[in-house]
Structure formats: C-alpha cells, structure tokens
Amino acid sequence: MSPDLQDLISAACDGRATADELALLTQQLREDPDARNEYLRYVDLHSALSDEVVPMPAAVLVDYRRFESDHGQHRLNGATAGNVRFGWLMVIATCVTSIVGVGGLRMWSLTGQVADPTDKRMTVVTEPVATLLYAEECKWQGITLQEGQRLHPGRIHLISGTAMARFGGGAELVLTGPAWVELLTPASVRVHRGDVVVQASNGAEGFVVATPISEVVDLGTEFAVKVSRSGRTEVHVLDGEVSYRKLEAAGELAKILRAGEGIAIDTHSRPRAIPMNSPRFQDFVSRINPKSRADLLTAYEGFNYSPGILPLENSVVGIGWLGPWRRRLPEERRAPTQEESPDHLEIVHGRMNVTWPVPGGRLGMLKVPSGNVYYVRPLKQAIDLGSDGLTYFSLMVREIDRRIDREQPHEHLRLTFRSSDEYFGDVLSFGHGPWHRPRIQAGNGNLYTSPLEVPAERTTLWIGKVVSRVRGEDEMYFRIYGEDDMLDYAEPATWHVVTRDVNSDARLDRVVLSSSGKFGRIVDELRIGPTWRSVAPISEHSPEQTRE
C-alpha cells in the first residue's frame, strides 16, 4: 500500500478525512482494484481492533444491484467474495463521506433505498432478503429494528440480546449479541463476528454462511457458526450435514461435517476437530420463551357486552377508538345507495369453537345478519401508508349457515381500512369474495386472490400484515387459519395472499366491517397492533410449538 493511500484510508476510518481527501479516496477505490483490496484488508484489520469500523449512521444497508459489471451481471451473483466486499467497501466510503457532510453523495437506509439529497425524487429500492421474527430487548448499533421488519442487504450489528430472522429462501437464523453480520441474499449471510445458529430444512437447503476465512454450506441441517474478533471460525453441526472450505478456494473440494461434529479453523485456514458445543435452535426459543404482547395493541374490539341487542351509540368498549360503531354516512354509500345495515349490534355468547389460547369466542361476540351490512368505527391511530411502519391485525370469524354442495352463493366478508379524508380513495381490504377465497384489495381497486377456499362451518382466524414505506413498494400479507392450524410466536413463512406493486400514501383511519350475501356470520376479537405477537393468540406456555 502506498503511503498516500494508507494515510487516506486511515483518516477515513478514524473520521479525520477532509472532503477533498474523501473525494480522492473514492476516486482511487473506483479506479484501482489493488487499492480496493488494500482498503478491504485495512478495514478488516481496523474492525478486529475496535468495536466498529467507522461511526455508523442509521443507514448502513446496501443495494448490491448498483455494483454491476460492464456486462450487466450482478456482482452479488458473480460468485467472487471480492465483488461482494467491494460493494460494502464503497458503502463505507459513502457512509464516512456522509458523516462529514459532503453534499451530493447518497445515503443508504434500512428500507433498501438510496435517496439523493439534491433530488428527493431519485430512489433506488432493493428487494428484502429476510424478515426479523423476534427482537425483544435487543440493542442495535446505529439503527432501530422492529419485529416483522423486512431486512435488506447490508450489515447489522447487534450489541446485546437475541434476535431471530427468516431468510427469503426459508432458512432461519438466531443471532446472539454481540455479533456483526452482513445480509447478502435470501440464501446467504456473512458473519464478521459473533455467534449464529442456522436452521435450514424443508427446502431451505443450500444456505451459505461466509466468515472472514471460510464458507459453510448447509446440506439440510441445523448448525452453529462462531467467529472471533480475529476471524477464527468454529462450526458445530447439530443435525444433518454441512460442507466447508476456504473462502476463496472455489476450486478445492469441500469437506463434510456431520451431526455431532465440530471444527475450528484458524486465521491461516488450518482446521482441527473440536467437540461439538452449541445450543440448538429450539433451545434459544425455549430460553427466551416469546410471550404475547397484547400490551402493544393500538386498537382492540372484543364485543364484550351482555347478550342481546345493543344500540350502536352504546358500543363504546375496547381501546384505540374515537367513537362507537355506526352505520355508513350518505357520502360513504355508493352501492347499495340505501343503508340496509341495522342500527344496533346483536351480541351473542358461546357461538364459536376456539382452539387457540385466546378468550374470544366464549363471551361477547357480534352476530352479523345476512344481507348488506356495513359497520364503521373511527381509529385513534391511523394506518399511514405514507410513512415507514408495520401494522398487523387479527379477526375471528365463523359462518352461521351451512354451505350447500355445488352451490357457491355470492358471499363477501371484508375488514376494510379507509380514509376519512378521501373515503373512496386508496383502500386496504382483507376478506373473501365469491367462492370463499381469501383476497386483498389494495390501492385503487387492485385485487389479489388466493386459490384456496376458506373452511366451511368452522371458526377461522384472519391475520394480516401491512408494511408501509415512504419510498418504494408497500407490502400486504393475509392468511386465514383453520381450527387445526397451529399458531407460533413468529409470523408464518407462507401467507395465502401477498400483494405486489402497491404504492400508496393514504392515511387510513376508518375501520369498515362489511358482510353481504345469504349467510349470517359471527365475528370477534378484532386486534390491531405493530407486531405479530401483539395480535396473534400465541401460547405463553408452549414455545416448542411446531414451526411452519
């Protein structure tokens, strides 16, 4: 490394570099592959000697699609570790530059976007690679992560606590602080320092864990990887098999480790056998014992009234509401133009068979009659699709009448979120339509429908998820659980309905419960909250429930 380049890199890592020095460093990194390699070596050494490479702003995740070859091939898919490293190297340079206030450079954010401060319309959005399943009492460096958040490529530093994530390819990972990892793709992660346990089965085989000196590939198994500050790596196979080899030895044959075996690889890539010593994935789940977080609910309606007829103006129980249930106003009606909804709620008890650990379905619940019925209630806390956020909801439903074989009546049941400012503007609606198929209506009329059919004459639990973003695509998910389905502490890997290409800035502050057709229905336990565990009736005594 030349003295000039070494001085530039040192100044950048220590936060001493001037704007001119950072500009010169950036130019050299872009133009000289040797300079990039030397920069990477220096940064790796710097990170081994301190807790952080550079002071990290709240934006550290990278869109690797920016770093493409001249032939248009994505670097991340190019099979060389150097290409991935270069992507992070450039992000470090950008982050350092942004810290000292050099204008015109872009900032990376947790939403996978890069925004040019001189042009707020310029946005590049990455695809998420994982979902954060659990993160209670976790302390992160420079960022705040929430359960349910979609994670984009880039580095994450967990200072303390235990977190769990599910990658797009299906593998699940437990991360114990202090740890520093880099999310790469839906099927790969790089562990720079710390301990992780990976559970990759049921189609998630092939998940890759890279470390500073090795590459571990899952062959359908559960394994742990531990990386020290120096890069020394341990691999412990808890179940199944893994293969491993040097990080940059693609031509070498991979070696196999089997269940019960462990290996330590020093910084010179020399392996030696060690006793297998790591907790299993389920041990971590049992240890943290995830509990319901109903205390986080932003709105709740349990219809906890005595049996009988309740005037709408008296439906004032629950939390998170600005008023009681009501019928639609004239300006909220298009078809039918006349309001046919009752001016009351009919409350019944004990009309649901409930297998989940939740009090709903036993005491008060709402009986919705046949015909065209619309009940509206205003929310205190709106779902703001124009901001970055997460919203979950759940609702229990049971049909009263029996479906006739080979007859598919025109039946609808929907839970809809609308805006009081523009009632017929962008909408977000979850439910089922003809043929009893789960569906989402999002935006201005876009429909997304599942081919599955909602179970007949059984209690079902509806759960939906809304990922809203300032920039980039909003995401909505919907799943309907039957009485025999298990509910876990974390959201499922598979949803019945998932939206695409939804972009809305609507502020949805009205809940509309609507039913139409020949069937009457029972509904109960409407919950709205910021996490899965705030709305899903999970058992607090059975963390070992079967994972999906």
Side-chain angles (χ1 to χ4, degrees):
M1 182 190 302
S2 69
D4 290 343
L5 179 60
Q6 184 175 23
D7 290 342
L8 288 174
I9 296 174
S10 176
C13 287
D14 294 339
R16 299 180 286 101
T18 66
D20 290 341
E21 289 173 333
L22 288 169
L24 179 59
L25 175 60
T26 301
Q27 180 180 357
Q28 291 190 39
L29 296 178
R30 290 184 181 279
E31 296 176 354
D32 187 352
D34 291 335
R36 293 197 291 269
N37 290 333
E38 292 295 342
Y39 188 101
L40 178 64
R41 185 191 64 80
Y42 188 98
V43 169
D44 283 344
L45 176 61
H46 191 75
S47 64
L49 297 175
S50 63
D51 286 337
E52 54 188 69
V53 177
V54 294
M56 285 196 174
V60 294
L61 299 192
V62 56
D63 180 353
Y64 285 98
R65 294 180 297 181
R66 278 179 48 87
F67 305 104
E68 297 180 355
S69 69
D70 295 336
H71 301 288
Q73 296 176 339
H74 295 312
R75 298 279 190 179
L76 192 58
N77 298 326
T80 65
N83 288 332
V84 175
R85 289 176 174 177
F86 173 60
W88 174 239
L89 176 154
M90 295 305 297
V91 172
I92 293 174
T94 302
C95 288
V96 174
T97 303
S98 64
I99 290 170
V100 298
V102 179
L105 293 181
R106 297 179 173 86
M107 280 280 246
W108 299 96
S109 77
L110 282 171
T111 54
Q113 307 151 15
V114 53
D116 186 339
T118 63
D119 186 356
K120 294 183 179 180
R121 297 170 298 176
M122 182 177 291
T123 303
V124 178
V125 181
T126 67
E127 289 293 328
V129 298
T131 300
L132 189 63
L133 299 181
Y134 177 87
E136 190 169 317
E137 298 182 356
C138 287
K139 184 178 180 182
W140 309 90
Q141 179 180 289
I143 55 177
T144 300
L145 297 180
Q146 177 183 345
E147 283 185 21
Q149 185 166 338
R150 303 279 278 145
L151 304 176
H152 295 256
R155 289 197 182 188
I156 295 177
H157 188 180
L158 177 62
I159 298 174
S160 61
T162 300
M164 301 183 189
R166 179 187 294 120
F167 283 74
E172 295 179 338
L173 178 146
V174 174
L175 180 66
T176 305
W180 199 341
V181 302
E182 184 177 358
L183 311 183
L184 300 178
T185 74
S188 63
V189 65
R190 183 183 304 280
V191 180
H192 292 271
R193 188 170 73 243
D195 299 353
V196 301
V197 176
V198 175
Q199 182 175 264
S201 56
N202 299 327
E205 298 85 354
F207 187 79
V208 176
V209 177
T211 77
I213 60 175
S214 66
E215 181 181 78
V216 182
V217 180
D218 156 72
L219 301 177
T221 185
E222 182 178 332
F223 63 97
V225 174
K226 303 179 181 182
V227 180
S228 68
R229 284 177 177 269
S230 66
R232 180 180 180 273
T233 298
E234 292 184 9
V235 181
H236 301 264
V237 183
L238 302 162
D239 189 26
E241 297 179 343
V242 301
S243 67
Y244 71 94
R245 62 187 174 194
K246 297 178 184 178
L247 184 63
E248 297 182 358
E252 292 186 6
L253 292 176
K255 299 178 177 61
I256 303 296
L257 284 179
R258 294 176 173 81
E261 296 180 338
I263 195 169
I265 308 171
D266 64 22
T267 54
H268 299 288
S269 299
R270 293 175 301 204
R272 64 180 177 86
I274 59 174
M276 196 280 290
N277 180 25
S278 174
R280 296 186 66 91
F281 191 97
Q282 195 59 50
D283 292 337
F284 284 99
V285 178
S286 299
R287 183 186 306 169
I288 62 178
N289 189 21
K291 295 178 172 59
S292 170
R293 292 304 309 272
D295 58 301
L296 299 179
L297 286 173
T298 57
Y300 171 73
E301 171 61 278
F303 299 102
N304 295 319
Y305 303 96
S306 299
I309 301 301
L310 179 74
L312 289 176
E313 59 268 23
N314 293 339
S315 60
V316 294
V317 301
I319 63 171
W321 308 100
L322 285 176
W325 292 96
R326 61 171 174 80
R327 303 202 301 176
R328 292 181 304 170
L329 302 174
E331 60 268 24
E332 297 171 341
R333 301 196 297 261
R334 282 184 174 174
T337 57
Q338 298 299 315
E339 182 54 79
E340 302 176 7
S341 305
D343 59 1
H344 61 268
L345 302 180
E346 182 178 354
I347 304 299
V348 296
H349 282 198
R351 297 291 298 272
M352 285 188 180
N353 177 38
V354 180
T355 59
W356 309 289
V358 63
R362 296 175 177 86
L363 299 177
M365 60 199 70
L366 174 65
K367 179 181 179 181
V368 182
S370 60
N372 296 311
V373 179
Y374 297 83
Y375 292 124
V376 182
R377 197 169 189 186
L379 284 166
K380 283 184 180 179
Q381 182 174 321
I383 300 175
D384 187 359
L385 298 181
S387 65
D388 293 324
L390 291 168
T391 303
Y392 291 78
F393 81 85
S394 64
L395 180 71
M396 294 174 59
V397 176
R398 185 178 181 86
E399 292 178 358
I400 297 175
D401 302 304
R402 182 179 180 183
R403 296 182 194 172
I404 302 174
D405 293 342
R406 295 179 300 278
E407 180 181 342
Q408 297 291 342
H410 194 71
E411 301 290 326
H412 291 82
L413 180 63
R414 295 180 294 267
L415 182 71
T416 304
F417 299 91
R418 291 187 176 273
S419 171
S420 58
D421 294 331
E422 192 175 0
Y423 190 84
F424 290 108
D426 284 356
V427 66
L428 184 53
S429 184
F430 301 83
H432 71 75
W435 304 93
H436 301 274
R437 291 173 179 169
R439 73 179 185 181
I440 298 174
Q441 180 181 346
N444 191 13
N446 299 318
L447 288 176
Y448 306 84
T449 304
S450 168
L452 303 176
E453 183 176 339
V454 177
E457 302 178 65
R458 308 192 79 187
T459 300
T460 58
L461 179 69
W462 298 6
I463 300 186
K465 176 182 180 179
V466 180
V467 182
S468 56
R469 294 190 174 94
V470 174
R471 294 184 177 89
E473 184 176 308
D474 302 316
E475 300 176 32
M476 292 81 187
Y477 303 82
F478 186 35
R479 177 158 178 165
I480 296 181
Y481 288 83
E483 293 177 0
D484 298 329
D485 292 329
M486 296 293 291
L487 283 157
D488 207 350
Y489 69 89
E491 64 186 72
T494 303
W495 297 81
H496 292 156
V497 189
V498 180
T499 65
R500 294 294 297 174
D501 302 320
V502 176
N503 292 276
S504 176
D505 295 327
R507 186 177 182 276
L508 308 174
D509 59 354
R510 294 289 184 271
V511 170
V512 183
L513 180 62
S514 60
S515 175
S516 61
K518 300 179 181 179
F519 290 177
R521 298 172 176 88
I522 304 292
V523 300
D524 198 8
E525 286 294 304
L526 171 57
R527 303 178 178 206
I528 303 174
T531 67
W532 169 270
R533 290 191 291 140
S534 67
V535 304
I538 63 174
S539 172
E540 298 190 8
H541 305 290
S542 302
E544 295 85 7
Q545 290 182 28
T546 302
R547 301 303 308 275
E548 298 205 26

